[in-house]
């Protein structure tokens, strides 16, 4: 069966199930979405593109942005980056403080909040205008000058970001934050507030299906080895405390965000983005997980 038909079939099947998820409400502005939205978009490295449902609607990509901030920081710092954070699944919630104490302020991986805050600190130390430069990076890799942050979402998260503030200060107490915590957090909240549609997400992430090269002009975004490692981290740490389940059921490197988006990558083949805002108990899109399971089962296009 051709990809398009598999996607259509899986989409309609999953769209008809009772969505047991809940909107993320701990960031107040995130509830201002149509909770029934459901979009899917696929882009292959051979330039086959197909979308269905709300695939052109922009949404808050939240933690999916952590893959992009890691990519930029890794391309700047190389392997030195791993002196500041680890590469192990955490087995705890994305915003947990508990491990940091025993791990002396070294976050387990770049995709839990603690790790993404350290990455934000690294970018702050290495970029002249972090907010503008990071946005320019995301726009350049996708050749899309319309991508932007959402001031509304960033402001909403800043107002209630008590846990992230605690995390950043706690890490600073172990000397693993170089900059002023309030500047680090402002930048972290800004990057989580990036908005994209499923189509735009696939365009941004295609380099990770293409060994680190820009699929349009073949320029290097990250090295081949870095691309492999970022994919490995997505496979093992991309879905909070449900990363094992995602590997088991879907079998692709990926990353989710509390806005209900998921990006999944089949190296050397394709990138697929799904958005449905209601989240399961582990904080991943309920329909998004179900759709991707259905898609890789029917298409037999997982990495395993
Ligand atoms: N900005 C969100 C937070 O820090 C990101 C959470 C997520 O998408 O996992 O809580």
């Amino acid at each position: 069966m051709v990809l398009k038909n598999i996607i259509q079939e899986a989409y309609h099947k999953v769209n008809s199930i009772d969505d047991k998820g809940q909107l993320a409400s701990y960031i107040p502005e995130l509830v201002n979405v149509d909770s029934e939205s459901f979009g899917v978009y696929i882009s292959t490295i051979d330039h086959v593109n197909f979308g269905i449902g709300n695939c052109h609607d922009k949404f808050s990509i939240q933690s999916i942005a952590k893959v992009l901030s890691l990519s930029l920081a890794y391309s700047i710092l190389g392997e030195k980056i791993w002196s500041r954070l680890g590469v192990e699944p955490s087995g705890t919630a994305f915003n947990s403080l508990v491990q940091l104490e025993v791990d002396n302020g070294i976050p387990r991986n770049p995709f839990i909040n603690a790790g993404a805050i350290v990455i934000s600190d690294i970018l702050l130390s290495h970029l002249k205008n972090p907010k503008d430069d990071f946005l320019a990076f995301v726009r350049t890799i996708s050749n899309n000058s319309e991508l932007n942050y959402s001031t509304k979402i960033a402001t909403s998260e800043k107002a209630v970001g008590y846990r992230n503030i605690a995390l950043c200060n706690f890490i600073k107490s172990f000397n693993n934050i170089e900059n002023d915590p309030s500047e680090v957090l402002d930048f972290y909240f800004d990057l989580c507030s990036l908005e994209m549609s499923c189509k735009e997400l696939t365009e941004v992430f295609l380099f990770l299906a293409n060994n680190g090269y820009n699929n349009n002009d073949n320029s290097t975004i990250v090295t081949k080895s870095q691309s492999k490692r970022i994919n490995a981290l997505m496979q093992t740490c991309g879905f909070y405390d449900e990363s094992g389940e995602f590997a088991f059921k879907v079998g692709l490197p990926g990353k989710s965000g509390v806005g209900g988006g998921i990006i999944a990558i089949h190296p050397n083949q394709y990138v697929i983005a799904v958005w449905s805002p209601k989240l399961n108990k582990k904080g991943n899109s309920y329909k998004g997980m179900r759709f991707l399971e259905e898609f890789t089962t029917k298409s037999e296009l997982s990495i395993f």
Side-chain angles (χ1 to χ4, degrees):
M1 217 197 290
V2 283
L3 270 187
K4 187 177 158 183
N5 297 347
I6 296 172
I7 289 174
Q8 278 170 332
E9 229 172 68
Y11 181 89
H12 293 302
K13 181 171 173 188
V14 173
N15 208 19
S16 66
I17 60 173
D18 177 27
D19 191 334
K20 299 202 175 61
Q22 301 279 333
L23 291 178
S25 56
Y26 76 100
I27 301 173
E29 190 61 33
L30 279 185
V31 298
N32 292 330
V33 287
D34 177 357
S35 60
E36 298 310 311
S37 306
F38 184 27
V40 175
Y41 201 91
I42 189 165
S43 294
T44 73
I45 60 168
D46 301 330
H47 307 283
V48 174
N49 300 296
F50 176 69
I52 189 165
N54 301 91
C55 61
H56 298 291
D57 294 359
K58 285 183 189 282
F59 60 94
S60 183
I61 74 165
Q62 289 295 321
S63 276
I64 299 175
K66 292 172 181 171
V67 183
L68 303 172
S69 52
L70 168 67
S71 299
L72 182 56
Y74 201 7
S75 73
I76 296 171
L77 235 68
E79 297 309 310
K80 280 202 300 254
I81 202 170
W82 306 120
S83 64
R84 304 274 307 270
L85 70 171
V87 295
E88 291 295 339
S90 72
T92 56
F94 68 102
N95 55 4
S96 169
L97 282 132
V98 290
Q99 283 168 343
L100 277 173
E101 173 118 58
V102 275
D103 291 346
N104 294 315
I106 304 287
R108 286 277 164 109
N109 68 65
F111 298 150
I112 49 173
N113 286 10
I117 287 170
V118 168
I119 294 287
S120 302
D121 181 59
I122 291 172
L123 288 176
L124 223 57
S125 298
H126 286 84
L127 300 176
K128 256 203 185 122
N129 303 299
K131 190 174 168 184
D132 292 345
D133 295 352
F134 177 68
L135 186 60
F137 168 72
V138 177
R139 286 177 172 178
T140 307
I141 61 181
S142 56
N143 199 19
N144 182 351
S145 57
E146 280 171 23
L147 300 179
N148 222 330
Y149 303 113
S150 159
T151 313
K152 263 192 187 168
I153 297 273
T155 310
S156 177
E157 188 169 6
K158 272 173 210 177
V160 294
Y162 307 113
R163 231 167 213 275
N164 287 319
I165 295 167
L167 280 168
C168 190
N169 282 293
F170 198 42
I171 304 169
K172 177 93 178 163
S173 76
F174 290 100
N175 298 318
N176 195 18
I177 292 286
E178 291 171 353
N179 297 281
D180 182 299
S182 65
E183 283 175 32
V184 177
L185 286 161
D186 273 359
F187 181 47
Y188 169 76
F189 294 136
D190 282 333
L191 64 90
C192 288
S193 80
L194 269 178
E195 290 186 319
M196 291 182 206
S197 66
C198 290
K199 177 176 187 284
E200 289 168 334
L201 259 182
T202 63
E203 290 162 355
V204 169
F205 275 82
L206 214 47
F207 72 102
L208 289 173
N210 195 30
N211 294 304
Y213 298 106
N214 187 318
N215 209 47
N216 298 320
D217 62 13
N218 238 22
S219 58
T220 301
I221 296 165
V222 292
T223 67
K224 194 172 174 183
S225 155
Q226 288 168 344
S227 175
K228 181 192 77 178
R229 290 181 165 182
I230 295 167
N231 273 295
L233 283 164
M234 282 194 278
Q235 182 72 74
T236 51
C237 312
F239 291 82
Y240 315 117
D241 204 7
E242 203 173 26
S243 300
E245 181 119 351
F246 190 80
F248 186 71
K249 289 187 170 160
V250 178
L252 293 174
K255 182 75 199 85
S256 59
V258 292
I262 297 180
I263 187 85
I265 291 157
H266 193 311
N268 301 310
Q269 293 203 32
Y270 67 85
V271 177
I272 190 162
V274 188
W275 173 52
S276 169
K278 290 202 223 160
L279 310 179
N280 67 17
K281 289 205 167 62
K282 297 282 171 84
N284 295 307
S285 168
Y286 182 82
K287 278 190 180 169
M289 297 277 285
R290 294 287 297 265
F291 171 85
L292 288 168
E293 179 180 2
E294 192 68 26
F295 172 68
T296 53
T297 304
K298 288 276 153 56
S299 65
E300 298 183 7
L301 285 175
S302 87
I303 65 166
F304 298 110

